Amino acid sequence: MASRSWSSLIRILLIILTVMISASWNSLPVKAESEGTCQAAYGLTPDSVSDWLMAAEENTDLTTTNRYDILAAELLSSGLVDGSTCPSNGLNPDGSANGCGVELTTDHVIAWQNQYDAVILSASQSTELPPKVVKAVIAVESQFWPGANWRLGEIGLGQMTGYGADLVLMWRPAYFQSICQKAFGENGCAAQYLFLEPSTQNLLRGMVLREIDAMCPNCQGGVDLEKGKQAVQVLTETLNASCLQSARIITMVTGKSPASLLSYDDYWRLVLANYHAGAGCVYQALRKTKNPNSWGAIASNFSSGCTSGAAYIRRIEEQIKP
């Protein structure tokens, strides 16, 4: 998840957008948080959906056998896979997996990338999110390694940042209150997240990120797999938040509902770009697009600091459509 290289202009724009967008979030015509938020935010229940957006019935519907070299390196360096039969224990000097290490970890990588499938399926079904998309986001963001890089501020399976924590706390009020109650007791927070003191917002953001940080020095391999499962739940909340925010941005810029402009596939591409690149990037791209009736038209208008949003969608689709 990226929000790390924005210009000062985009940062200022995001603050303005946050106020404008969040102030009226509860006027969106959405169902209860546990039911079909993204379809309702889109404004129409599609008669049919593409394969990548379809529901899954069984864990096996999500099974993948992809090669993930970063995951291979993590399994070797953590000691979860013994690389002693390979040169340099399967690792290059820069910490990446060498050819022997990649081959040695093949079966382990396949098992690891599928271990969260049951949680992904359950969390996706409870909110009517497309589970293949949820799994693809995890694949692109972290290659299923649930660790954290606090120096870069990228945490958990979805590599959530402070921006992502802001997004979910602003747009998912039930989740926001659950975090508030952990911080302040059963009464939670009387005000919406947007109107809290900056120090309180910072506290709550930190709590969200710590909840999904699976680094655990005393755990096997240095990771707590239960925290990984928790990160899946938070990711689904955040994707729902991105659906709501994206719908509001579309309406703000065009005066139209997402369903009247975009196919459901293209709406989801915009939602994922919003999750990755942020509201400022999506807002600017929509403003610059003369006729924003397709993802292709919008993607071509991402500014230089936001172009990773378009590349991100290609990487997501590559995970689902090999």
Side-chain angles (χ1 to χ4, degrees):
M1 184 172 194
S3 62
R4 30 203 181 259
S5 60
W6 291 357
S7 66
S8 298
L9 174 61
I10 294 178
R11 289 181 183 276
I12 293 169
L13 177 60
L14 178 58
I15 293 170
I16 297 170
L17 270 174
T18 297
V19 174
M20 294 173 65
I21 295 169
S22 300
S24 57
W25 66 265
N26 56 4
S27 66
L28 281 166
V30 298
K31 304 176 186 178
E33 285 191 22
S34 61
E35 184 182 5
T37 296
C38 290
Q39 285 193 3
Y42 175 62
L44 179 71
T45 300
D47 293 330
S48 61
V49 295
S50 300
D51 179 70
W52 70 296
L53 296 174
M54 288 183 65
E57 298 298 328
E58 305 289 341
N59 297 348
T60 52
D61 294 336
L62 300 179
T63 300
T64 52
T65 57
N66 296 329
R67 171 176 166 171
Y68 294 118
D69 289 3
I70 294 174
L71 176 57
E74 294 287 3
L75 293 173
L76 288 163
S77 62
S78 66
L80 287 169
V81 175
D82 180 6
S84 60
T85 58
C86 288
S88 303
N89 290 312
L91 296 169
N92 293 314
D94 64 359
S96 62
N98 60 32
C100 179
V102 170
E103 184 176 357
L104 178 67
T105 58
T106 297
D107 291 342
H108 300 277
V109 165
I110 291 172
W112 191 277
Q113 67 189 265
N114 293 305
Q115 69 176 317
Y116 293 110
D117 286 356
V119 180
I120 291 170
L121 182 61
S122 175
S124 299
Q125 287 176 336
S126 68
T127 53
E128 296 186 22
L129 285 174
K132 292 179 182 178
V133 169
V134 176
K135 185 168 183 176
V137 168
I138 295 171
V140 170
E141 292 286 355
S142 67
Q143 292 195 7
F144 302 95
W145 186 254
N149 187 330
W150 284 97
R151 182 178 61 83
L152 294 177
E154 299 167 345
I155 315 299
L157 288 173
Q159 292 293 275
M160 181 174 278
T161 63
Y163 162 75
D166 274 334
L167 177 64
V168 70
L169 289 167
M170 282 190 291
W171 287 90
R172 300 297 279 172
Y175 178 76
F176 160 64
Q177 285 298 339
S178 73
I179 297 296
C180 276
Q181 287 167 7
K182 291 177 183 178
F184 305 114
E186 62 181 18
N187 292 330
C189 297
Q192 292 182 29
Y193 175 77
L194 178 64
F195 302 111
L196 297 176
E197 291 292 328
S199 59
T200 303
Q201 292 179 344
N202 188 54
L203 169 68
L204 297 178
R205 278 195 301 271
M207 289 182 66
V208 172
L209 296 177
R210 284 191 294 274
E211 278 203 342
I212 61 175
D213 178 4
M215 301 306 290
C216 173
N218 298 322
C219 298
Q220 185 179 13
V223 290
D224 181 349
L225 296 181
E226 290 303 312
K227 282 288 191 77
K229 294 177 182 178
Q230 211 164 322
V232 173
Q233 300 285 349
V234 176
L235 174 60
T236 58
E237 289 284 351
T238 310
L239 289 174
N240 272 302
S242 188
C243 284
L244 293 168
Q245 188 180 63
S246 299
R248 176 56 65 199
I249 294 171
I250 290 169
T251 301
M252 281 176 54
V253 173
T254 69
K256 298 179 180 180
S257 70
S260 66
L261 276 178
L262 298 171
S263 69
Y264 195 53
D265 286 53
D266 281 352
Y267 167 67
W268 258 103
R269 292 181 178 105
L270 193 74
V271 167
L272 292 168
N274 185 68
Y275 171 81
H276 176 72
C281 290
V282 170
Y283 178 82
Q284 282 197 328
L286 282 166
R287 285 287 302 269
K288 290 168 63 178
T289 305
K290 185 175 181 180
N291 188 14
N293 62 356
S294 71
W295 166 247
I298 298 166
S300 65
N301 283 294
F302 274 79
S303 62
S304 58
C306 300
T307 51
S308 65
Y312 184 75
I313 304 309
R314 289 194 294 273
R315 293 171 64 198
I316 292 288
E317 292 184 334
E318 285 169 1
Q319 293 296 318
I320 302 171
K321 305 174 183 177

